[in-house]
Structures are given as C-alpha cells and as structure tokens.
Amino acid sequence: MVIKVDGMSCNHCKMRVEKVVKDIEFVEDASVSLENKEVSITLKPGENRDINLIKTVISDAGYDPQ
C-alpha cells in the first residue's frame, strides 16, 4: 500500500511518519520516500486494512495524507 503524504521535507519528517505508521498493530513495515512524498506500507497478512486509521495517524503527526 502506498499513501502520498504532503508536508514531509527532511529526515526528521521521514522518521516521524515511519514511526507512527509502524506503531499501528496491523502494520508490518513502513518506508518513506521524501523524493516521492509517499510512504510505502506493508501490512501483516490477514490483518485489518483500515486505511482511514493509517491516514488519521499520519494527520495527527502533523502531515497531510492524500
């Protein structure tokens, strides 16, 4: 799953978004590309795929998920 995220501009932003997304129980891994302004997310098999929860967590961290 890939989500575009506006507002990321530095390594601190990258680390923050990766951390908050990885803290979600059904997320296995997350990796941010500052160049592409997106986060690539790997979900655990068979788990809930609530994209709205992921977007809410990113938004609460101060970024704008698309």
Side-chain angles (χ1 to χ4, degrees), residues 8-18 34 61 63:
M8 298 185 302
S9 60
C10 65
N11 199 45
H12 173 75
C13 299
K14 175 185 184 297
M15 292 173 54
R16 177 76 175 135
V17 171
E18 285 178 350
L34 288 175
Y63 304 95

Side-chain angles (χ1 to χ4, degrees), residues 22-51:
K22 286 179 181 178
D23 284 348
I24 299 170
E25 67 182 43
F26 58 84
V27 172
E28 186 170 302
D29 196 22
S31 178
V32 167
S33 168
L34 288 175
E35 181 178 312
N36 297 327
K37 303 289 187 201
E38 63 188 24
V39 57
S40 297
I41 302 163
T42 304
L43 302 176
K44 293 178 182 174
E47 291 289 332
N48 178 359
R49 288 164 167 67
D50 187 356
I51 192 167

Side-chain angles (χ1 to χ4, degrees), residues 5-8 13 16-17 20 56-65:
V5 181
D6 287 336
M8 298 185 302
C13 299
R16 177 76 175 135
V17 171
V20 299
T56 297
V57 167
I58 294 170
S59 182
D60 289 349
Y63 304 95
D64 185 18

